[in-house]
Amino acid sequence: MTTAAELDAADPLSGYLDKFYRTEEVVAYLDGNSLGRPTRASVERLASFATEQWGSRLIRGWDEQWYDLPLKVGDRVGAVTLGAAAGQVFIGDSTTVILYKLIRTALDARPDRDEIIVDTDNFPTDRYLLEGIAAERGKKLRWITPEHDAGATEAQIAQALGPKTALVVLSHVAYRSGYLADAEAITKIAHEAGALVLWDLCHSVGSVPISLDEWGVDLAAGCTYKYLNGGPGSPAFGYVRKEHQDSFRQPIQGWMGTSNPFEMGPAYEPHDGIRRFISGTPSVIGMLAMQDMLDLIEEVGMAGVRAKSEKLTEFAVELFDKLLAPKSVVLASPRDPARRGSHVTIDHDSFAEVNAKLWTQGIIPDFRRPNGIRLGLSPLSTSFQEVETGVRAIEAGLQ
Ligand SMILES: *Cc1c(COP(=O)(O)O)cnc(C)c1O
């Protein structure tokens, strides 16, 4: 088996490791899929923003730069990571709120249909939102139950689709198993049944190549604090396909999405195009750090990011086979790298305690109920050595 040192030495992207801020106390950071590290550039950008932008420009900053930022940064996210032409991506609220807005938008666009397809392994916020919206709008949820190391398959979705399906809501990469759905194929079969599709890209954006325009996707949303390293609570993005924008209306009709916010007119009049999906004043501070990560991803290209990601997860699975499978640890992610995002989940009944112990040693994966440790391998900031250190510490923790 190739060693971590050899893999790091052969890694064409190893020079990027140093573009991220690090402290010595953390010896293996394996949770970049929950919260990416700050880039060094962001550490500087955040500090200088306070004095040079906010402190100096004051309210003038809105006219000069900030008002357009949600769409400018949205276009960058679209171009660098989503395969989306300009004018289809906005940065705004939390993922949860954007998902709410887009789910409601889609249901209103299919008023004669009353079913929504979702899977039981989707992220909690997606499931909870859908329960609430179904109750609010008198719709029914059709649940798909994936295998424990996989996600909703084309066959399962084809079976659930019908003339009543309004919307399919799925994660592109499953937050627990790491299963990478075939978004293009699923979008196609949903469209053949007359349904709309909303992809949750939280665990794929910035780690897996995405081609929303080419795949014909209607709607998408995703986090920016995971593989886009936007910092804790940085605002999410939403994608609305160009051809839908002027006929779709979103439910949180705020002043920032109107045709002329500073007219302060008597009634809501949605702006043309993607701006109508914005509701209130956006977090300008929240949009700073993600811009630095987008610069790095653009330099490398998503194909390069994905190649490193596959090597990292392959290495994690190899180490799992050698060190952990003999100790009754179970792989809860797909074995086929083509069907896997950038994290690997492994299950064992003692992992809640093992994970807590790792955190005291500066080894930081995360624990996911009921018994999983997720090894999140953010491609540009994670070394092969960190993967090995992490898996060896888990092995030692099982003694
Ligand atoms: C992380 C994540 C979210 C988080 O939503 P927030 O509103 O940012 O808390 C939603 N969906 C998926 C699939 C996620 O992985």
Side-chain angles (χ1 to χ4, degrees):
M1 186 173 162
T2 323
T3 66
E6 285 164 350
L7 289 165
D8 278 320
D11 172 14
L13 301 180
S14 61
Y16 282 87
L17 297 170
D18 194 44
K19 306 258 183 196
F20 297 85
Y21 180 79
R22 281 162 206 278
T23 59
E24 280 185 5
E25 177 257 325
V26 174
V27 292
Y29 189 54
L30 305 171
D31 209 6
N33 60 321
S34 282
L35 179 67
R37 286 179 178 278
T39 63
R40 290 189 188 280
S42 294
V43 172
E44 275 183 28
R45 189 197 286 262
L46 285 164
S48 73
F49 178 83
T51 52
E52 283 164 32
Q53 291 279 317
W54 176 16
S56 309
R57 303 318 302 154
L58 295 165
I59 194 69
R60 295 169 293 181
W62 280 108
D63 288 341
E64 291 163 359
Q65 292 196 25
W66 305 334
Y67 178 74
D68 289 327
L69 214 53
L71 302 187
K72 263 171 107 166
V73 179
D75 281 348
R76 292 256 309 129
V77 171
V80 175
T81 66
L82 303 179
Q88 300 179 103
V89 181
F90 67 100
I91 310 283
D93 321 281
S94 67
T95 307
T96 301
V97 173
I98 292 183
L99 285 170
Y100 177 85
K101 297 202 293 196
L102 298 185
I103 294 165
R104 282 283 312 270
T105 300
L107 296 180
D108 287 349
R110 288 286 182 280
D112 50 339
R113 291 170 171 239
D114 69 351
E115 288 184 2
I116 307 166
I117 296 177
V118 59
D119 73 279
T120 52
D121 283 353
N122 208 338
F123 191 83
T125 218
D126 303 59
R127 293 183 279 110
Y128 303 161
L129 280 169
L130 285 166
E131 278 178 32
I133 295 171
E136 186 181 44
R137 307 298 281 178
K139 307 284 178 184
K140 290 189 209 95
L141 301 181
R142 277 193 76 133
W143 291 98
I144 288 175
T145 307
E147 297 292 327
H148 130 283
D149 58 355
T153 62
E154 290 95 290
Q156 287 174 308
I157 293 177
Q159 210 185 10
L161 279 164
K164 295 184 160 199
T165 314
L167 177 66
V168 179
V169 180
L170 294 171
S171 285
H172 188 204
V173 169
Y175 83 100
R176 195 179 193 286
S177 73
Y179 177 82
L180 170 61
D182 186 338
E184 183 174 22
I186 291 171
T187 300
K188 189 158 175 278
I189 55 174
H191 284 171
E192 282 162 8
L196 293 166
V197 184
L198 166 52
W199 284 103
D200 184 326
L201 306 176
C202 284
H203 268 82
S204 58
V205 65
S207 68
V208 173
I210 297 169
S211 305
L212 295 180
D213 288 354
E214 195 187 316
W215 298 343
V217 169
D218 302 293
L219 300 158
C223 289
T224 62
Y225 51 80
K226 295 176 175 170
Y227 296 110
L228 295 184
N229 303 55
S234 64
F237 64 85
Y239 166 92
V240 181
R241 190 172 194 77
K242 190 120 216 155
E243 70 197 56
H244 294 320
Q245 287 171 8
D246 289 332
S247 60
F248 280 12
R249 286 198 51 160
Q250 61 110 339
I252 305 182
Q253 306 187 157
W255 73 304
M256 277 282 172
T258 57
S259 49
N260 192 346
F262 297 98
E263 278 292 305
M264 315 234 161
Y268 176 77
E269 185 61 52
H271 201 287
D272 289 343
I274 192 72
R275 183 172 274 284
R276 66 176 51 190
F277 294 91
I278 295 176
S279 296
T281 304
S283 169
V284 172
I285 290 181
M287 285 183 272
L288 298 176
M290 68 180 80
Q291 297 179 54
D292 299 308
M293 187 60 181
L294 288 166
D295 288 346
L296 298 186
I297 295 175
E298 185 171 44
E299 242 173 65
V300 173
M302 278 308 305
V305 170
R306 173 67 174 159
K308 167 108 186 248
S309 163
E310 285 187 14
K311 288 207 181 84
L312 285 165
T313 59
E314 273 292 86
F315 187 52
V317 171
E318 266 179 50
L319 289 166
F320 158 84
D321 282 336
K322 189 170 131 197
L323 303 173
L324 302 179
K327 303 211 150 143
S328 308
V329 179
V330 173
L331 183 65
S333 294
R335 274 202 172 264
D336 177 4
R339 284 268 64 87
R340 192 167 66 211
S342 207
H343 69 272
V344 171
T345 299
I346 49 181
D347 287 345
H348 189 281
D349 285 342
S350 66
F351 273 176
E353 301 88 74
V354 170
N355 191 64
K357 196 154 98 194
L358 295 182
W359 279 40
T360 66
Q361 302 165 348
I363 296 166
I364 325 267
D366 68 18
F367 176 70
R368 283 293 173 266
R369 300 214 159 273
N371 61 349
I373 282 183
R374 282 193 316 182
L375 305 169
L377 310 177
S378 189
L380 297 186
S381 63
T382 309
S383 66
F384 292 91
Q385 188 58 60
E386 284 177 284
V387 179
E388 178 160 352
T389 302
V391 175
R392 287 197 183 279
I394 293 167
E395 185 202 12
L398 284 170
Q399 308 295 339

